[in-house]
């Protein structure tokens, strides 16, 4: 999470220290916390960074992945085995960087769409179910999401094509 704003990470992020005994220590509350409590901070959009107490190494990604692993094992997994296998196949692949940014943008767009829907449902009266069943606004948001996703994918394809052409040109091969 420090990648988003490395300049003032200490001021904006809640620092959690991980000790060799695998305990997590919240420096803001001066108390040990559980992985479930770290999940709670994430759910509350609290910016956190997890550091190894001895080395200072950033362990945030590792802890977030651990939370995802526990959620996936907990009963109602979000990812199918086929999807996980496909994600694994992208590691080391030329498209790895594009895949990460593609997934990140799509999850962000989905989150924004979900937030807009939740805002529309706040303070909903009995008409809410009728509006929900109409789903006109939701359909429009889903259409926008799909269009943005397709546009990003097309941009990604164009970028790969340009890079391939540049690489071939470097080897003296011209595209016919």
């Amino acid at each position: 999470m420090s990648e988003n704003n490395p300049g003032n990470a200490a001021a904006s992020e809640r620092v959690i220290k991980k000790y060799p005994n695998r305990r997590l220590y919240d420096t803001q509350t001066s108390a040990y916390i559980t992985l479930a409590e770290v999940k709670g901070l994430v759910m509350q959009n609290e910016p956190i960074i997890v550091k190894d107490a001895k080395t200072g190494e950033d362990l945030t990604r590792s802890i977030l992945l651990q939370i995802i692993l526990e959620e996936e094992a907990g009963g109602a997994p979000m990812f199918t085995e086929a999807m996980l296998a496909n994600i694994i196949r992208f590691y080391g692949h030329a498209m790895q960087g594009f895949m990460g940014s593609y997934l990140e943008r799509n999850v962000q767009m989905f989150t924004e769409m979900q937030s807009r829907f939740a805002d529309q449902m706040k303070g909903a009266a009995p008409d809410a179910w009728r509006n929900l069943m109409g789903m006109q606004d939701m359909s429009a948001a889903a259409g926008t999401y799909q269009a943005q996703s397709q546009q990003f994918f097309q941009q990604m394809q164009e970028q790969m094509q340009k890079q391939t052409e540049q690489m071939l040109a470097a080897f003296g091969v011209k595209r016919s």
Side-chain angles (χ1 to χ4, degrees):
M1 300 216 160
S2 62
E3 302 152 5
N4 296 343
N5 198 359
N8 58 358
S12 65
E13 294 175 324
R14 190 166 180 161
V15 178
I16 310 293
K17 291 185 179 181
K18 184 172 187 254
Y19 285 90
N21 63 2
R22 296 196 279 180
R23 292 188 74 185
L24 299 166
Y25 184 79
D26 184 346
T27 60
Q28 183 173 320
T29 61
S30 299
Y32 286 101
I33 62 173
T34 64
L35 198 59
E37 290 170 313
V38 173
K39 176 190 169 197
L41 294 172
V42 172
M43 297 297 288
Q44 295 168 12
N45 290 318
E46 179 83 27
I48 63 163
I49 185 168
V50 181
K51 292 188 173 206
D52 184 285
K54 249 185 180 175
T55 66
E57 177 186 358
D58 187 347
L59 302 175
T60 309
R61 287 176 39 82
S62 174
I63 294 297
L64 294 174
L65 285 167
Q66 188 175 348
I67 292 168
I68 290 170
L69 180 62
E70 287 191 7
E71 288 295 315
E72 285 291 307
M78 186 182 306
F79 301 110
T80 64
E81 290 175 15
M83 182 176 181
L84 292 170
N86 282 327
I87 290 171
I88 290 168
R89 288 182 191 106
F90 272 99
Y91 285 96
H93 188 277
M95 296 290 287
Q96 179 178 340
F98 290 111
M99 181 58 150
S101 59
Y102 176 76
L103 288 174
E104 186 173 352
R105 279 183 79 178
N106 273 280
V107 169
Q108 183 62 38
M109 285 187 289
F110 185 80
T111 302
E112 290 168 4
M113 184 176 74
Q114 181 185 25
S115 177
R116 282 194 299 257
F117 181 69
D119 287 344
Q120 290 174 354
M121 295 308 291
K122 281 183 184 169
D127 292 349
W129 282 110
R130 191 172 346 113
N131 294 338
L132 181 61
M133 296 314 237
M135 298 281 268
Q136 292 172 351
D137 290 338
M138 198 60 180
S139 295
T144 301
Y145 165 76
Q146 183 179 7
Q148 289 175 338
S149 180
Q150 286 174 337
Q151 179 184 10
F152 180 68
F153 187 73
Q154 184 177 3
Q155 289 171 348
M156 186 173 65
Q157 285 179 316
E158 290 169 1
Q159 178 76 20
M160 285 301 295
Q161 185 177 7
K162 286 178 188 176
Q163 288 178 345
T164 302
E165 288 174 2
Q166 290 172 351
M167 185 180 73
L168 292 175
F171 289 116
V173 178
K174 291 189 177 184
R175 191 167 184 222
S176 49

